[in-house]
Amino acid sequence: MTRISTFGASQSALLDLMRAQQSLFQAQQELSTGKKGADLKGVGYQAETIAASRGALSQSKAFEEAAIRSGIRLNAQNVALERLSSSVGDLRSAMTSQDGNFVMQEISDAFYSAVNALNSQHLGSYMFGGTRDDTKPMTISTLADLAALPAVADAFQNNDLEPTVQVDQNTTVTVGRLASGIATDIMASFKRIAEFEAGPNGPFVDPMTDIQQAFVVGELTNIVAAQDGIISVVGMNGVMQSQIESSQQSQKDRQDFLTGMISDIEDVDMAEAATKFQTAQNVLDVSAKTFASLTQVSLLNFLR
């Protein structure tokens, strides 16, 4: 009877030892990984919340990346728009000159600068071509080319689709402008000037004739209106930049929130984990000593 009782105690001590080993292993894993478990099983009923939060976090990062790329594009686009606005300013200055001998050279320089601005590229793609970003929005290169066209619209090769980007689940932002939408009015002025220069009342001379002066005064009104339109586009580009920056910050804030929520569920308190590990180690030591003691007693009983 004593032998059976001692053997039963040994079995119970062995089970205690095995449980203590398992507890120590788990405590060691938590301490080394900082996680409550190696997989979602470790967080129990909150596994579904973790999975959904990770999906939302991944989506938020994708939105942030899209905003970053769009912000870079808008910065480059702003530079190009500023160059276009500057070229229109040069045209305006040229048209106020009284020296007809050099006015067309200045106008040609302004035209060349405007075309280059409209054909600006970002990462190898034309920014003002719409979604047709592999073709120059403007294929003409001289005022003579422009004057020879049946209509100013024929100068543009962009399509009608402005590039957009989705910055969150419910918001899509237009991040590209069309060359034809930006510059039709100013190119119309360039075309009229080139046609006048090549017509019966040209070329411009010094001093300008009364007809030439009247034409210049009338066309200046159109140029000022076109310049105001381009300045407005520059302003809208700035608004889009602000919107993209705001969206990017919102996604960062969302990621911080989701990361914190996930951490609260699956991460362990390291101080608590260290205490748990030490306690498990102590329990294991006691269990091992108890089992060893009972085993020795049991063997002695069997040997008698």
Side-chain angles (χ1 to χ4, degrees):
M1 186 71 175
T2 303
R3 293 180 179 179
I4 295 174
S5 177
T6 303
F7 181 71
S10 297
Q11 282 188 315
S12 178
L14 177 60
L15 291 175
D16 289 342
L17 177 61
M18 292 173 65
R19 282 192 290 267
Q21 288 175 326
Q22 181 61 34
S23 296
L24 179 63
F25 175 77
Q26 183 178 349
Q28 189 174 31
Q29 287 292 102
E30 290 182 1
L31 191 60
S32 61
T33 65
K35 304 294 182 182
K36 294 177 181 177
D39 51 35
L40 291 180
K41 294 178 182 178
V43 294
Y45 70 93
Q46 292 179 303
E48 186 175 347
T49 301
I50 289 287
S53 297
R54 286 177 178 171
L57 183 60
S58 177
Q59 184 183 57
S60 179
K61 288 180 178 179
F63 284 141
E64 183 192 10
E65 295 248 342
I68 290 172
R69 290 194 300 270
S70 298
I72 294 172
R73 175 198 171 105
L74 288 171
N75 287 336
Q77 192 165 276
N78 184 70
V79 173
L81 289 171
E82 291 284 2
R83 286 171 52 203
L84 177 62
S85 179
S86 178
S87 69
V88 177
D90 292 341
L91 171 62
R92 183 176 176 177
S93 296
M95 290 294 282
T96 59
S97 172
Q98 295 299 311
D99 189 348
N101 291 331
F102 300 101
V103 66
M104 283 310 297
Q105 181 59 53
E106 294 175 3
I107 292 171
S108 293
D109 291 343
F111 173 77
Y112 179 77
S113 177
V115 170
N116 280 343
L118 292 168
N119 284 338
S120 295
Q121 290 180 283
H122 172 61
L123 299 178
S125 298
Y126 293 100
M127 287 188 289
F128 302 113
T131 55
R132 187 182 181 184
D133 57 9
D134 60 344
T135 301
K136 286 183 178 182
M138 300 198 69
T139 55
I140 59 173
S141 57
T142 67
L143 282 171
D145 294 337
L146 180 61
L149 294 175
V152 70
D154 298 324
F156 300 99
Q157 302 302 316
N158 58 270
N159 63 22
D160 296 327
L161 301 175
E162 294 181 332
T164 60
V165 61
Q166 187 174 359
V167 294
D168 61 43
Q169 288 181 320
N170 303 310
T171 306
T172 299
V173 178
T174 299
V175 294
R177 302 303 296 263
L178 306 177
S180 57
I182 301 168
T184 291
D185 289 345
I186 196 59
M187 286 299 156
S189 284
F190 277 120
K191 182 173 173 59
R192 285 189 292 268
I193 293 168
E195 289 171 342
F196 182 89
E197 164 74 8
N201 294 308
F204 289 106
V205 294
D206 182 29
M208 290 185 184
T209 66
D210 291 342
I211 293 177
Q212 290 175 347
Q213 288 182 347
F215 170 79
V216 165
V217 171
E219 195 56 48
L220 269 172
T221 302
N222 297 324
I223 293 170
V224 169
Q227 186 177 31
D228 288 343
I230 292 170
I231 291 173
S232 177
V233 172
V234 174
M236 286 301 299
N237 191 78
V239 170
M240 287 189 290
Q241 284 179 294
S242 296
Q243 188 172 358
I244 288 293
E245 289 173 3
S246 177
S247 173
Q248 186 178 338
Q249 185 59 52
S250 294
Q251 294 303 331
K252 286 182 178 179
D253 293 342
R254 178 172 173 77
Q255 289 165 39
D256 289 342
F257 170 76
L258 289 169
T259 300
M261 185 174 70
I262 292 171
S263 176
D264 288 343
I265 295 174
E266 67 177 6
D267 290 352
V268 298
D269 183 308
M270 295 306 290
E272 183 179 328
T275 301
K276 183 178 178 180
F277 174 77
Q278 186 59 55
T279 300
Q281 180 69 63
N282 294 337
V283 171
L284 178 62
D285 290 342
V286 172
S287 296
K289 290 177 181 178
T290 301
F291 177 71
S293 175
L294 289 173
T295 301
Q296 290 174 359
V297 171
S298 179
L299 285 173
L300 287 172
N301 288 336
F302 278 107
L303 290 172
R304 287 173 183 169

